[in-house]
């Protein structure tokens, strides 16, 4: 036989099989030729298979991809290994193979887990089912990849002769079949001596090309000026020429997930959405003294917590076994992490600088330098952050940990500011689409005529321009764009130097206006953001009437509202010598806005929204005149603007992109999209717009063809993912990031439903229907159905989004309509914010007066119009001279403050009549208003509302502690018996309800506030002047109708028996004399309304009979203020937009607009058997009752008559009206009782004493709580023995908001002898522990107190083993030796201390708000085995502690502000040293 015949014999067939040993999730079949990864949706790795025999030279081991899923990123990986599969310890993925392994992953080639070649061949992640991929070692020892019979060229060389083929069924790839193992035909085999890669440069690569070219030019380097035939090769040669062997690069040895590129200047972490660590890179050589090692952040992802870490290490990268994270290295390492410094993995400086690495954005720079003195400095965007470590070893390498959010960085070799400026502008000219307009010459030398003048820096925002010799800044296209108008001063401000600008021109198209502030960033190399409030470091801005620091609001109510300024007004800013920052409006100082502002800050003006042009004001030259109001302004300077052209024509360049789903076809010049094989395929037909949508631009399509074969239909939305980066899934709702879709009536974000019952149902559309999407300039997404705006679907969209259409199910073909394009009404002006309301001014009339009876430290001036506290910090109570009438505003202005005191003004209403008080001085009057309890008093203290000193509400509006001179504050008793607070003329909303009729206004000049004067009058104010602008004429007309109805009507003597109206939703069937209603089809069209109106004080109740878990969401309920006889029943209750109040989930809606959040329990979680009720009290307030418990006021001003309605939506399929408990509720029953009036001193967790340790069966009314199920799954991951836990699950309690509200839990209870308060652990889930039944425990448990202890996950098992809290098992902050205290209060036990040398102490607390702090209960990250989403979890214990065995003391760790309103910080920590003094009662788990 010839040799060729021998080669095709039996050995060849054996080589075309897989080895029987494989990854742990692999199942083999088809004579070991087919491999399948088990659990493909739950697991993404452990899918490694190898060839049965070693490869022979020239043999191509080829497999066919049989199946893929879209649940994961990444896909098949293939290569060779010298490791024998018979003895191989299989890693989780092919990239973990060592010992001579070459793997092709994506479009990269890795050797032993490290990248050796980027951009090789085709991207394996893009291969589809049916594609074939093979691997070959040729006779020259080269590795070749073959895809569908095509040779991709040499991937590596120098391979050993004995190699096995490797295939990794990773990520999306779930099944492959070996199809052949034979040499390729001679015609297909090519000799690749040269391998060309794509010469397309990314923006950052172009960045470095210009950078290196400029460096060479300015440093006299040798440049090749001859033209090159290939621009890509020329650029590559230029970059290679600029990088010498001495340059700082990344070492080729790096973390297992790192791939290097750009001549080892760029490092990127693979699989950033699946893995968060193993991303450590180091420099290729040690750092020299005073040498800057600087990197630029190129890419971040939002999936993880934590971000980049950077530092130095003494370890040589050649010898280092790289850890998963550098903080795991316990020697020779100094790292900056967050805003702190870690030395050898332990925190040495918790607050190193004000910048946190976790808050940096893409484009920010981070650097470090080891000084000759040994001091280590870090730099953020070129700013020295000071000494991080005083003594650094002489030989250190730079190290970067691409952890968490950080994915990609590049080493920056040029640190010169002027070079950065040239580089930035070179890139701007090369990449900006708006290069047609002239830009001023960039000069780095100061103006010789005015070296000290403040001018605008020429480096400005993309949509801004500098004119008038640097004194004027404008947005030339102010009517087309609302942002990218940031300008900075040309030099830093001196101390006490005022930077002031005049607003020259404004446009009325947008919301928002000019913003002004300061920044530490040098404009010469700052990559300017779209708005300055997006900058997360070194920036202080005044925006509206608030102040923001690094993008976070630090003052809510400050100064004059900048959004109300007009052309000709001026704004200014100054940094004083003491580091305080002050703003000016029209020359009037607004007071201090920030402190500790560093010197050498640059002034910033953001020409945002309405602000179109501003000019610097100084005394050196005359100001130019203001532009004429009737001129077109700067817009006329750019007639060639693309936006203006688009606006003048009816055509649009919007098309479908050439990239699309597998089953989609684009025709008609990109205007039409259809799904092929529409009767056999229902998905994989996603199409996307060819470009991102402009603000206010409508993308509209018309449905041209449908089939009735499938359920479901078209889905539409937007995505921030570029088409080139989108891996088209089966359906767009499979995407889990940067995507917003409308599916049916559900608004979905990143695959999760964020809102149901949107105003339209896409599943109900038919052929000829039109669907449009538009992103407004305010970031809102609107849908249009047949040209009609359906309202805001969601908010907060990024600026650049692409339209997406999913031709799903019934929908087969669509075309873009001619209506697509910019809309005249872009909705930008319709978005009215709170800060845009007009300032209210008091009307003329007789001024209010203060009563002559007042606190002993008060003096009245100006005929009782002014009050001054002349001594101390208290005894400053004053009253209005007369009782307030309904809707009468009593308002004062703050005249003086004294900063030596803390605390601030208190204001409210009281039934205490000052004429009944004894004569002045009133030494017997309470020293402060919260202590005034002789009569009923409602007051606002800080941001807390109190009634007779008892806390009623937290976080009400802006805190009064922030008030300063010039601020106005007022109080009003409205006709609906509510108390409203006004701050600077703006109504903050109802603060208290059921306020008595005859009340006086009362103020307390307390703490900082020493003088006030009255600014209101006794005449009733024009309500129209303070009413917020109405968003629709419809709501205004309803308000007028409502106001004409009587405020009250007598309660019915005999409660009306309620029944359902015969007119109802089309899927409803009534029975049981119209008392029972059932939805018999679908999930909607289940609206019900009662036939009788609901009388005042009558409780209407119904019971949930049946739930269907097949659906999501559940019922909603409410009242309508008009007769239902002619009601046109919509598909869902949220479509009721006329005189309708709706309770849905945990929110309240009025005419489909949300007016309240976090009200009552989440109705979607109510189980079968729950009794829900509605009641309108005598004050026209709507109440929700759950199992007989009042949830408080949901809405006010309910008209009479009103009719209850119920929407049987989603899970809820049947309800029955409760007739045996119809009752009239008396007016007095609504009064709130104090804690002391309630007989619950003998209760624990809402359970009576007699059953405290054997809870009743229904302690968890919500049997389907998803939060409790999630906590339970985390508990299962801890693998704790079941024997430690109570066998009966009914003892486990969930304290999520829905569960504790359904149970009617109060926030605080008492326990033990003597009784002591403790707080319920709201937000946690308790798993009951088994209590040992010995006599001492059973007899003493009821007499012990309840407390909490936060701990770490790693400490749980040992504590459970010993049934008590032990020393050395918790975090070092929770259990520690008594005498070991660090200088900062941190308790750190010595590592080798002898056991029992000191008695350990255990920290407890009566509230989890303290014990649950992260310093006690550190967070751990885990992946939910059901949803595969990552969460953070904390653990702790609920414990019983013996009275007398512990000492009550102040907090020693954590936050300094008040943590729990019931417990003072001076008594929030309990410390016990007694062995056996604590008993573990429950394991607590909280998941974020």
């Amino acid at each position: 036989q010839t040799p060729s015949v021998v080669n095709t014999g039996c050995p060849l067939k054996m080589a075309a099989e897989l080895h029987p040993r494989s990854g742990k999730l692999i199942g083999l079949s088809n004579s070991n030729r087919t491999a399948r990864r088990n659990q493909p949706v739950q697991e993404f790795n452990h899918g490694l298979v190898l060839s049965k025999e070693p490869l022979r030279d020239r043999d191509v081991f080829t497999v066919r991809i049989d199946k893929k899923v879209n649940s994961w990123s990444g896909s098949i990986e293939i290569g060779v290994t010298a490791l024998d599969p018979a003895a191989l310890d299989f890693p989780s993925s092919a990239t973990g193979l060592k010992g001579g392994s070459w793997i092709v992953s994506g479009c990269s080639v890795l050797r032993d887990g490290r990248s050796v070649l980027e951009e090789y061949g085709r991207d394996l992640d893009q291969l589809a089912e049916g594609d074939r991929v093979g691997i070959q070692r040729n006779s020259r020892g080269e590795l070749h990849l073959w895809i569908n019979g095509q040779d991709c060229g040499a991937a590596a060389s120098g391979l050993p002769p004995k190699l096995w083929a490797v295939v990794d069924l990773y990520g999306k790839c779930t099944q492959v079949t070996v199809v052949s193992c034979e040499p390729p035909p001679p015609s297909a085999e090519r000799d690749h001596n040269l391998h060309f890669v794509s010469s397309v440069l990314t923006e950052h690569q172009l960045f470095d090309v210009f950078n290196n070219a400029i460096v060479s030019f300015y440093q006299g380097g040798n440049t090749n000026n001859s033209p090159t035939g290939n621009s890509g090769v020329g650029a590559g040669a230029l970059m290679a020429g600029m990088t010498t062997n001495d340059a700082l690069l990344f070492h080729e040895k790096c973390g297992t997930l790192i791939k290097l590129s750009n001549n080892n200047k760029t490092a990127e972490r693979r699989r950033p959405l699946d893995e968060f660590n193993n991303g450590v890179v180091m420099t290729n050589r040690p750092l020299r003294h005073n040498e800057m090692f600087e990197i630029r952040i190129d890419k971040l992802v939002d999936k993880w917590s934590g971000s980049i870490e950077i530092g130095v290490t003494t370890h040589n990268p050649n010898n280092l076994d790289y850890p998963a994270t550098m903080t795991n290295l316990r020697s020779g390492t100094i790292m900056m992490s967050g805003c702190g410094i870690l030395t050898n993995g332990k925190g040495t400086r918790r607050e190193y600088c004000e910048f946190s690495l976790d808050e940096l954005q893409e484009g920010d720079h981070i650097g470090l330098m080891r000084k000759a003195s040994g001091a280590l400095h870090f730099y953020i965007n070129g700013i020295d952050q000071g000494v991080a470590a005083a003594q650094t070893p002489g030989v250190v390498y730079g190290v970067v940990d691409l952890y968490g959010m950080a994915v990609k960085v590049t080493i920056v070799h040029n640190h010169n500011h002027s070079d950065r400026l040239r580089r930035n502008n070179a890139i701007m000219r090369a990449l900006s689409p708006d290069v047609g307009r002239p830009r001023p010459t960039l000069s780095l030398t100061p103006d010789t005529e005015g070296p000290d003048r403040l001018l605008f820096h020429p480096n400005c925002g993309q949509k801004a321009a500098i004119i008038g010799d640097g004194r004027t800044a404008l947005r030339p296209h102010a009517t087309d764009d609302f942002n990218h108008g940031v300008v900075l001063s040309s030099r830093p401000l001196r101390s006490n130097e005022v930077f002031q600008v005049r607003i020259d021109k404004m446009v009325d198209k947008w919301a928002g206006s000019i913003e002004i502030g300061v920044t530490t960033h040098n404009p010469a190399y700052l990559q300017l953001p779209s708005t300055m409030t997006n900058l997360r470091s070194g920036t202080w801005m005044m925006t509206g009437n608030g102040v923001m620091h690094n993008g976070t609001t630090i003052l809510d109510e400050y100064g004059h509202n900048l959004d109300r300024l007009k052309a000709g007004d001026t704004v200014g800013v100054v940094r004083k010598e003491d580091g305080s920052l002050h703003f000016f409006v029209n020359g009037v100082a607004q007071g201090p806005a920030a402190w500790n502002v560093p010197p050498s800050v640059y002034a910033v003006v953001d020409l945002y929204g309405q602000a179109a042009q501003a000019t610097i004001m100084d005394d050196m030259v005359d100001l130019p005149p203001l532009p004429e109001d009737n001129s077109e302004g700067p817009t006329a300077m750019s007639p060639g603007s693309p936006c203006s052209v688009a606006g003048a024509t009816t055509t649009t360049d919007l098309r479908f992109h050439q990239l699309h789903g597998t089953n989609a076809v684009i025709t008609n010049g990109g205007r039409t999209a259809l799904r092929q094989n529409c009767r056999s395929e229902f998905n994989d037909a996603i199409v996307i717009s060819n470009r991102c949508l402009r603000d206010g631009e409508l993308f509209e399509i018309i449905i041209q063809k449908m089939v009735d074969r499938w359920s479901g239909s078209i889905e539409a939305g937007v995505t921030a993912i570029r088409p080139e980066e989108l891996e088209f899934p089966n359906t767009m709702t499979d995407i889990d990031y940067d995507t917003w879709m409308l599916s049916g009536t559900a608004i979905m974000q990143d695959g999760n439903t964020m809102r149901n019952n949107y105003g339209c149902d896409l599943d109900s559309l038919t052929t000829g229907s039109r669907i449009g999407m538009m992103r407004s300039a305010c970031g809102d997404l609107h849908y249009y159905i047949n040209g009609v705006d359906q309202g805001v679907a969601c908010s907060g969209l990024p600026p650049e989004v692409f339209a997406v259409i999913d031709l799903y199910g019934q929908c087969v073909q669509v075309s873009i309509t001619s209506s697509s394009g910019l809309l005249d009404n872009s909705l930008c002006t319709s978005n009215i914010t709170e800060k845009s309301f007009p300032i209210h001014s008091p009307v003329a009339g007789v001024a209010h007066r203060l009563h002559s009876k007042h606190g002993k430290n008060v003096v009245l001036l100006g005929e009782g119009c002014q009050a001054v506290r002349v001594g101390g910090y208290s005894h400053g109570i004053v009253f209005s001279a007369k009782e307030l009438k309904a809707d009468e505003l009593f308002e004062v202005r703050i005249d003086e403050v004294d900063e030596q005191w803390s605390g601030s003004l208190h204001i409210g209403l009281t039934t205490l009549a000052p004429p009944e008080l004894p004569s002045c001085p009133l030494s017997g009057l309470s020293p402060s208003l919260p202590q005034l309890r002789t009569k009923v008093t409602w007051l606002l203290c800080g941001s807390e509302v109190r009634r007779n000193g008892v806390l009623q509400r937290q976080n009400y509006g802006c805190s009064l502690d922030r008030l300063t001179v010039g601020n106005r504050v007022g109080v009003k008793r409205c006709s609906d018996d509510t108390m409203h607070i006004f701050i600077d003329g703006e109504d903050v909303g109802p603060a208290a309800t059921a306020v008595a009729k005859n009340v006086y206004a009362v103020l307390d000049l307390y703490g900082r506030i020493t003088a006030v004067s009255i600014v209101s009058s006794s005449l009733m104010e024009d309500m129209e002047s303070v009413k917020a602008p109405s968003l629709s004429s419809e709501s205004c007309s309803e308000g007028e109708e409502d106001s004409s109805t009587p405020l009250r009507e007598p309660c019915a003597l005999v409660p009306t028996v309620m029944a359902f109206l015969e007119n109802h939703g089309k899927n409803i069937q009534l029975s049981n004399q119209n008392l029972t209603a059932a939805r018999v089809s679908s999930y909607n069209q289940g609206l019900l309304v009662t036939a009788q109106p609901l009388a005042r004080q009558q409780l209407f109740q119904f019971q949930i009979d049946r739930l269907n878990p097949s659906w999501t969401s559940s019922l909603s309920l409410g009242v309508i203020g008009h007769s239902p006889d002619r009601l046109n029943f919509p598909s869902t209750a949220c479509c009721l937009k006329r005189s309708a109040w709706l309770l849905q989930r945990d929110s309240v809606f009025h005419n489909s607009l949300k007016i309240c959040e976090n009200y009552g329990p989440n109705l979607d979680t109510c189980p079968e058997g729950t009794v829900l009720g509605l009641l309108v009290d005598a004050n026209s307030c709507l109440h929700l009752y759950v199992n007989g418990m009042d949830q408080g006021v949901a809405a006010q001003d309910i008209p009479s008559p009103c009719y209850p309605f119920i929407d049987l939506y989603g899970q809820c399929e049947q309800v029955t009206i409760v007739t045996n408990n119809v009752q009239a509720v008396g007016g007095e029953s609504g009064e709130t009782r104090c804690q002391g009036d309630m007989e619950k001193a003998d209760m624990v967790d809402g359970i009576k004493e007699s059953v405290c340790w054997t809870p009743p069966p229904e302690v968890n009314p919500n049997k389907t709580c998803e939060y409790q199920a999630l906590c339970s799954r985390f508990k299962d991951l801890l693998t704790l023995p079941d024997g430690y836990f109570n066998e009966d699950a009914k003892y486990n309690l969930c304290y999520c908001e829905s569960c504790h509200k359904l149970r009617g839990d109060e926030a605080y209870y008492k326990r033990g002898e003597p009784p002591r308060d403790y707080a319920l652990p709201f937000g946690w889930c308790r798993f009951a522990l088994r209590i040992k039944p010995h006599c001492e425990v059973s007899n003493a448990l009821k007499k012990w107190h309840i407390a909490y202890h936060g701990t770490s996950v790693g400490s749980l098992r040992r504590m459970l083993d010993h049934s008590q809290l032990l020393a050395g098992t918790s975090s070092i902050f929770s259990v520690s030796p008594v005498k070991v205290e660090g200088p900062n209060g941190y308790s750190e036990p010595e590592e080798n201390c002898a056991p029992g040398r000191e008695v350990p102490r255990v920290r407890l607390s009566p509230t989890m708000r303290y014990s649950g702090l992260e310093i006690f209960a550190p967070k751990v990250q885990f992946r939910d085995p059901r949803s595969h989403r990552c969460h953070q979890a904390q653990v702790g214990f609920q414990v019983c502690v013996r009275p007398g065995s512990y000492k009550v003391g102040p907090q020693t760790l954590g936050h300094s502000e008040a943590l729990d309103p019931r417990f003072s910080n001076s008594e929030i920590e309990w410390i016990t040293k007694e062995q056996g003094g604590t008993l573990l009662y429950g394991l607590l788990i909280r998941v974020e």
Side-chain angles (χ1 to χ4, degrees), residues 640-675:
S641 169
C643 295
S644 62
V645 173
T649 178
T650 58
T651 62
T652 177
D653 61 339
L654 281 171
R655 299 289 187 272
F656 290 119
H657 199 279
Q658 60 183 356
L659 300 177
H660 48 73
T662 305
N663 292 327
V665 176
I666 306 299
T667 63
N668 190 21
R671 296 181 179 87
T672 299
L674 60 93
R675 187 177 79 243

Side-chain angles (χ1 to χ4, degrees), residues 339-607:
C339 57
I341 302 297
L342 301 176
T343 302
N344 300 333
K346 295 184 177 181
T348 53
R349 295 187 63 178
R350 303 181 65 84
E351 297 290 340
Y352 164 59
C353 68
E354 64 173 330
F355 297 100
S356 173
L357 299 187
D358 297 346
E359 297 175 355
L360 296 186
Q361 303 296 307
E362 293 176 359
D364 284 335
H365 291 228
I366 317 169
L368 61 86
M369 179 185 296
R370 183 198 180 278
K371 304 279 189 178
S373 63
L376 180 65
H377 290 241
F378 288 93
Y379 297 78
I380 308 294
N381 290 320
I383 301 174
D384 189 353
Q385 303 300 304
V387 177
Q391 295 298 324
T392 309
V395 179
V396 290
Y397 292 80
V399 59
V400 178
D401 191 348
L402 294 178
Y403 181 82
M405 296 187 294
V407 174
K408 185 178 182 181
V409 298
T410 295
I411 295 177
V412 179
H413 282 145
N414 182 20
H415 316 293
N416 184 276
H417 294 177
S418 61
D419 287 337
R420 289 191 186 185
L421 175 61
R422 296 187 184 96
R423 178 181 63 190
N424 284 341
N425 286 279
I427 292 173
M428 185 181 299
R429 287 191 292 272
L431 298 180
S432 175
D434 188 17
V435 297
R437 60 186 175 92
R439 296 182 65 89
T441 304
L442 303 181
S443 173
L444 300 176
T445 59
D447 184 3
T448 56
E449 297 180 1
D452 292 328
R453 284 186 59 192
L454 270 174
L455 301 174
F456 287 122
H457 197 281
N459 186 27
C460 56
Q462 296 176 12
K463 305 298 183 181
I466 308 298
I467 60 175
D469 297 326
R471 299 179 59 237
T472 299
L474 74 156
R475 284 200 338 270
H477 309 290
T479 56
D480 299 327
D481 303 288
F482 62 90
N483 55 6
H484 289 290
V486 175
V487 289
L488 283 79
S489 62
S490 57
R491 63 167 173 81
L493 299 180
R494 303 184 183 94
S495 295
N496 299 322
E497 180 180 21
V498 178
F499 175 82
Q500 190 169 218
V501 297
R502 182 192 66 196
I503 302 175
D504 297 337
K505 183 171 177 59
M506 302 188 73
V507 295
D508 57 2
K509 181 175 182 180
W510 314 107
S513 187
I514 193 170
E515 300 175 352
I516 189 170
V518 296
T519 182
T520 57
H521 296 278
N522 190 321
Y525 58 92
L526 175 63
Q527 296 181 3
L528 294 167
S530 59
T531 67
M532 278 303 287
T533 51
N534 288 345
L535 212 55
R536 294 294 186 253
S537 60
T539 304
W540 294 259
M541 297 294 294
M542 181 178 178
T543 167
N545 60 343
V547 179
M548 303 185 76
H549 175 42
N550 297 340
T552 302
T553 300
I554 57 175
L555 288 179
D556 278 329
E557 301 289 340
Y558 170 83
H560 192 87
N561 194 330
L562 300 187
D563 294 346
R564 299 188 182 127
L565 299 183
K566 304 298 181 183
D569 288 335
T570 63
V571 291
V573 63
V574 61
R575 179 200 175 272
K576 295 193 174 182
E577 288 181 343
D578 60 0
S580 62
L581 189 69
H582 297 248
F583 291 96
F584 296 82
V585 177
N586 290 323
V588 178
Q590 306 296 298
W595 290 263
N596 300 320
V597 177
S600 300
V601 290
Y602 293 81
V604 183
V605 173
D606 192 347
L607 297 176

Side-chain angles (χ1 to χ4, degrees), residues 123-161:
D123 189 351
L124 297 185
D125 295 347
Q126 303 300 323
L127 298 184
E129 293 178 359
D131 284 334
R132 302 187 177 200
V133 57
I135 202 74
Q136 174 199 42
R137 179 195 185 279
N138 65 14
S139 57
R140 295 185 297 275
E142 295 174 337
L143 181 70
H144 284 246
L145 177 71
W146 293 74
I147 295 180
N148 293 326
Q150 297 295 319
D151 185 5
C152 296
S157 59
L159 272 66

